[in-house]
């Protein structure tokens, strides 16, 4: 099938059509409507009357081989041999026979997986690669996901929320992790500490200097050796210098915290896309269960659930009640650190590719 449609190329994603359930492939772009028969199950109906059911279960982002084999065995035995993963790490099985839906749900549940994550639920918290194959993590994102989802399991399984809730985590402060109604991100609070003995052996100093968004890093000679120095008044503690120069250690058990951002929305569906805003900062980065961060997230979700109107996403709800009321209702403290009007950004942000000294 794939060969008929497109010849293989050496890089990029493989053609997804070859992995699709035949009913889905046949009706691609021809769906008349879809329904949500029960939590964790979608029904798509084609214009020609074809139907396909999707059963969704939560899985971890980084799957071990044994779990993956178990999930595939369930798909072969109780499904029709077709799966795919959503962007939020949920596995989805497609079946064209309605009679297979309940046995499939039972097999997944018996094997310890949780079926849900559709419609107005809290979908699986999405997270980033972290220590597995990224160079700048400041924390373990998958641990945060596990701890929080353990406490939000009923919100994943049920349709209890005013609308769907997408949450994200990140393991650094600057890159992934901003795609959600609620985001739990790392927050460094101190400039990096430089190990001058190592800089000259390990770092590409021009890259490090160029990497700083506020031009706070300068080359310097320390004890006769080439090294770097940081203008701590300028440093915004973003952590961008740490990947090209590991001796500029910024991660710190005490001073690297978590921050929670709320109200992001990529969609153009009912309103304009919105940026997230900081609502809680300086939360202890406290493994292995991160109770303080989970408590803040649960507080926000509880207030949203009680106060929002049906179908309001978190950003719609805050837009209606206003940010002052958001802080009043959730009981989160509003501090001066929540205000940033970017005054001065034109002068301080490094918006060019030139290296500045
Ligand atoms: S959040 Fe940061 S550290 Fe984590 S995977 Fe993304 S870029 Fe890497
Ligand atoms: S890259 Fe970020 S953390 Fe490093 S010195 Fe510049 S502002 Fe500070």
């Amino acid at each position: 099938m794939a060969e008929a449609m497109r010849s293989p190329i050496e890089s990029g994603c493989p053609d997804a059509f070859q992995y699709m359930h035949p009913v889905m492939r046949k009706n691609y772009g021809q769906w008349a409507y879809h329904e949500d028969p029960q939590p964790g199950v979608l029904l798509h109906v084609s214009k020609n009357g074809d139907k396909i059911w999707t059963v969704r279960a939560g899985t971890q982002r980084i799957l071990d081989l044994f779990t993956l084999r178990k999930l595939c065995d369930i798909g072969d035995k109780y499904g029709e041999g077709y799966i795919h993963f959503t962007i939020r790490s949920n596995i989805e099985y497609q079946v064209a026979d309605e009679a297979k839906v309940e046995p499939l749900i039972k097999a997944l549940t018996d094997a310890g997986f949780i079926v849900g994550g559709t419609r107005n639920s809290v979908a699986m918290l999405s997270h980033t690669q972290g220590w597995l194959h990224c160079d700048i993590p400041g924390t373990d994102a998958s641990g945060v996901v596990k701890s929080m989802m353990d406490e939000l399991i009923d919100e994943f399984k049920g349709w209890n929320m005013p609308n769907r809730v997408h949450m994200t985590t990140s393991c650094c402060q600057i890159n992934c992790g901003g795609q959600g109604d609620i985001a739990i991100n790392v927050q460094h609070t101190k400039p990096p500490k430089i190990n001058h003995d190592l800089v000259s052996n390990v770092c590409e100093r021009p890259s490090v200097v160029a990497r700083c968004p506020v031009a706070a890093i300068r080359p310097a000679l320390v004890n006769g050796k080439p090294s770097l120095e940081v203008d701590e008044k300028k440093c915004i503690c973003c952590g961008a210098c740490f990947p090209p120069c590991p001796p500029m250690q910024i991660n710190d058990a005490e001073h690297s915290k978590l921050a929670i951002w709320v109200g992001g929305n990529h969609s153009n569906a009912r309103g304009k896309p919105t940026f997230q805003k900081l609502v809680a900062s300086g939360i202890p980065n406290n493994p292995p269960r991160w109770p303080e961060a989970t408590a803040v997230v649960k507080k926000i979700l509880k207030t949203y659930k009680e106060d929002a109107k049906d179908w309001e996403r978190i950003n719609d709800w805050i837009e209606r009640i206003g940010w002052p009321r958001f802080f009043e209702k959730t009981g989160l403290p509003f501090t001066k650190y929540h205000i940033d009007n970017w005054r001065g950004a034109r002068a301080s942000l490094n918006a060019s590719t030139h290296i500045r000294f």
Side-chain angles (χ1 to χ4, degrees):
M1 178 79 190
E3 279 171 25
M5 293 195 303
R6 197 202 288 174
S7 57
I9 50 173
E10 283 182 16
S11 60
C13 297
D15 191 330
F17 280 83
Q18 64 190 310
Y19 305 120
M20 274 187 198
H21 191 290
V23 173
M24 199 163 244
R25 199 159 55 204
K26 177 178 156 205
N27 293 291
Y28 187 78
Q30 299 300 321
W31 302 105
Y33 62 93
H34 81 269
E35 290 177 352
D36 299 89
Q38 66 187 82
V41 181
L42 308 169
L43 163 63
H44 284 81
V45 182
S46 166
K47 288 176 188 157
N48 65 13
D50 283 356
K51 292 181 178 176
I52 189 163
W53 285 262
T54 301
V55 175
R56 180 182 294 176
T59 55
Q60 65 267 41
R61 165 74 175 253
I62 297 159
L63 276 170
D64 61 282
L65 192 60
F66 301 100
T67 308
L68 200 49
R69 284 202 174 127
K70 194 189 284 180
L71 287 164
C72 291
D73 288 345
I74 291 173
D76 284 338
K77 189 161 174 198
Y78 297 95
E80 291 171 357
Y82 290 87
I83 58 162
H84 65 234
F85 286 92
T86 69
I87 198 168
R88 314 196 80 76
S89 313
N90 298 299
I91 189 168
E92 290 189 340
Y93 297 85
Q94 277 88 34
V95 289
D97 177 2
E98 189 178 4
K100 292 182 179 161
V101 171
E102 286 307 325
L104 179 55
I105 292 175
K106 183 169 183 320
L108 282 165
T109 312
D110 289 350
F113 298 101
I114 315 296
V115 173
T118 57
R119 217 172 73 161
N120 49 328
S121 63
V122 175
M124 179 57 92
L125 225 161
S126 75
H127 79 77
T128 46
Q129 281 62 254
W131 281 310
L132 200 66
H133 68 90
C134 187
D135 62 353
I136 37 176
T139 191
D140 169 24
S142 36
V144 176
V145 170
K146 168 69 177 151
S147 315
M148 285 193 183
M149 288 314 290
D150 277 356
E151 300 220 14
L152 297 173
I153 190 167
D154 291 333
E155 310 299 355
F156 178 83
K157 287 198 291 190
W159 287 339
N160 304 324
M161 289 287 152
N163 200 337
R164 66 172 62 97
V165 179
H166 285 170
M167 296 201 292
T168 56
T169 57
S170 80
C171 28
C172 72
Q173 193 175 277
I174 49 174
N175 287 345
C176 328
Q179 308 91 333
D181 297 287
I182 302 177
I184 302 106
N185 294 341
V186 168
Q187 177 193 22
H188 299 296
T189 59
K190 296 260 184 196
K193 278 189 206 152
I194 305 179
N195 182 335
H196 295 288
D197 292 335
L198 289 179
V199 169
S200 57
N201 300 339
V202 177
C203 299
E204 287 186 32
R205 288 176 302 137
S207 320
V208 188
V209 171
R211 188 97 169 222
C212 180
V214 293
I217 308 175
R218 287 186 293 259
L221 268 187
V222 180
N223 301 328
K225 281 192 187 167
S227 188
L228 299 162
E229 64 183 10
V230 171
D231 181 345
E232 297 198 351
K233 283 207 190 103
K234 277 180 151 184
C235 173
I236 54 170
C237 309
C238 69
C241 47
F242 167 57
C245 186
M248 293 187 75
Q249 184 57 252
I250 192 167
N251 199 19
D252 177 285
E254 189 189 342
H255 298 112
S256 289
K257 308 278 191 187
L258 293 184
I260 294 183
W261 300 68
V262 163
N265 190 5
H266 283 185
S267 158
N268 269 315
R270 274 174 292 278
K272 286 185 292 187
T274 51
F275 279 124
Q276 296 176 321
K277 294 195 172 59
L278 178 79
V279 297
S281 60
I283 303 166
N285 185 12
N286 191 6
R289 300 299 295 179
W290 289 270
E292 299 87 353
T294 304
V296 175
V297 168
K298 285 173 83 173
K299 197 186 276 188
I300 296 168
L301 285 174
K302 182 170 176 289
T303 316
Y304 166 62
K305 189 168 154 180
E306 287 168 0
D307 198 59
K309 294 180 180 167
D310 281 354
W311 305 110
E312 276 181 335
R313 292 284 289 261
I314 288 188
N315 64 314
D316 301 324
W317 164 58
I318 300 172
E319 179 87 353
R320 177 170 61 79
I321 64 171
W323 284 99
R325 296 284 290 149
F326 169 85
F327 282 94
E328 277 168 33
K329 281 174 185 279
T330 54
L332 295 171
F334 183 80
T335 70
K336 64 178 181 178
Y337 299 109
H338 289 94
I339 302 168
D340 187 351
N341 59 8
W342 294 89
R343 190 183 289 179
R346 189 175 287 271
S348 63
L349 285 185
N350 188 0
S352 81
T353 52
H354 296 96
I355 296 176
R356 285 183 263 170
F357 296 99

